Amino acid sequence: MNSMIQGENLVEHAIRVTEYDGEIKSSEIFLVQSVDEKNNIDLRIKYDPAKLDQDEDVIARIEDLTKSEYLLRQYAESLDRSTLKVAEKANGEVEIRFNYSKYQLPQNIAYFRFMKVALTAKDGKAIKMVISNNQSFELNDIIVSDYSQTTDFGYLDNGNHYVKEKVEKIIGRKKSKPITVTTTTKTIALYDRKNTVEVIDADLLAQVSDPRIHEEKVDLKRPLPLMADLVRRQGIDVPLPYGFSIAMRKQDMDVPFTSFNIMGINLDEFFDPKTTSGSVTAESATLRADVNILPFWNVYAIYGKINVDAVVNADYTGNIRNVFVERWGEFKADLVCGIAEKAGLPICSPAEFDVPLELDYDVVGVGTTLSVGYREFFASVNTTYAATKLSGQDWGDGIITVQPMLGYQFVDYRAQLFLGAEYQGLDSTMSGNLGKIDGLDQDFTYDVGVELNQWAYLIGFNKQIGKNYNITALYSKGETRDSYTLNFGYRF
């Protein structure tokens, strides 16, 4: 299916010609592949710097192409069997047509899901293979409208096949300008483990053997995630291992109260918890770094800032008069209440008033995500443990957030829609220390009872942009809260 299937040790010659913005530029390189006894592939690019296009990082481009070839070597049988068709021709040739599977291709070669393949064989031997696209797609920085890869096979005296020549042609637009990229690859020598050499082109082999030629090693394998190939062959796509993302979240929360304790004093008699409520808006910005240890297991760390704006709609009972009565009697109590009211402080009368609060927190946390999936469907559970610190204070107790989700993947668009729930392990009390108050010479501590619903419904959408970027939007809705989250990430 590609040049790396034909043998374990080979030398190839490639010419890349780019026609863009009225200019034609070319580069010429050699590829040298060898395989050790443990089937580890060593791949090197050899080149003459004078024969490279100086305006393009050709080595990086060839490395990307080579990695794609290497992946296709593992996924050569990742075809959609429902599209398989066989037709016999009058000249004895057989044409086999099929499309690549949408599910089993990793991100690096995901564009092959748009490909259709026509393989021509005669007498049980492959003669030619043509791969072409059935719709436009994005490849690196090119919007490809027409793609073709034509491979001509040759055969050695021992009957083994090899890629005689392969021509890849890309026609599309780059920065709104037309571009054509043609890469022609020829096999010039084949080796086996017994050191038997089949020389196809002696002149080109002599060039690659020149000691003055430069060399670059291609790193084909990545250590993470572990077991990636095993999972891909089950029809599950595997994301790139490392990632950074930034998330913006806004959460509005209604807070019903059950008790008030300020600086060790119970104030339920003076502020009715049943009729007092709070409205809290928390806006956060967090930076997340993560890594996929296994294809289905991601771990991450977060750091960010939270700004909290809260308004407590307090229902004052006016019961301070009862305290005055107990201490001084009714006459003096009424006298004190009257004086206070004339001074603009009606402390003995029921009233409603608002208490605004504005607080800034630092937040740090760690978390993990477990996922499973099959074809278009997937499920995941995301768990985060985060702690906050009020500016100038110590770190508070941590909060656990859990998000179980079920989802559906729109494979052709690399997008996912998911439904689920969000659990926030909020305590039944809100307690803390706002620091020392001047004049009282003691800390302002609070311990307020609240009644919050810990679960909320969740709906979300994720869209991959190319192979490195993704954007995620989440909305959750519960009895006492709702929130919006927007996340922009980069994977590599």
Side-chain angles (χ1 to χ4, degrees), residues 5-19:
I5 292 179
Q6 62 180 313
E8 296 176 334
N9 305 280
L10 72 155
V11 182
E12 295 177 305
H13 174 255
I15 297 177
R16 175 185 170 95
V17 179
T18 302
E19 301 176 45

Side-chain angles (χ1 to χ4, degrees), residues 281-293:
T281 297
E283 296 182 345
S284 65
T286 55
L287 179 66
R288 164 175 156 161
D290 70 274
V291 59
N292 284 303
I293 305 298

Side-chain angles (χ1 to χ4, degrees), residues 251 253 255 257 279-285 304-312 355-363 388-393 430-435 444-446 448:
Q251 177 168 296
M253 186 162 53
V255 183
F257 295 100
S279 177
V280 179
T281 297
E283 296 182 345
S284 65
K305 299 284 187 177
I306 302 177
N307 175 261
V308 176
D309 287 317
V311 177
V312 178
V355 180
L357 293 172
E358 185 172 339
L359 306 171
D360 293 313
Y361 292 89
D362 292 322
V363 58
T388 57
K389 182 173 79 72
L390 185 64
S391 179
Q393 302 298 315
M430 299 173 62
S431 60
N433 187 333
L434 299 182
F444 186 93
T445 60
Y446 62 92
V448 180

Side-chain angles (χ1 to χ4, degrees), residues 219-232:
D219 184 15
L220 292 173
K221 296 287 287 184
R222 304 189 74 170
L224 295 174
L226 305 173
M227 299 172 59
D229 290 340
L230 176 62
V231 172
R232 288 190 186 113

Side-chain angles (χ1 to χ4, degrees), residues 119 192 234:
L119 177 64
D192 61 23
Q234 305 304 314

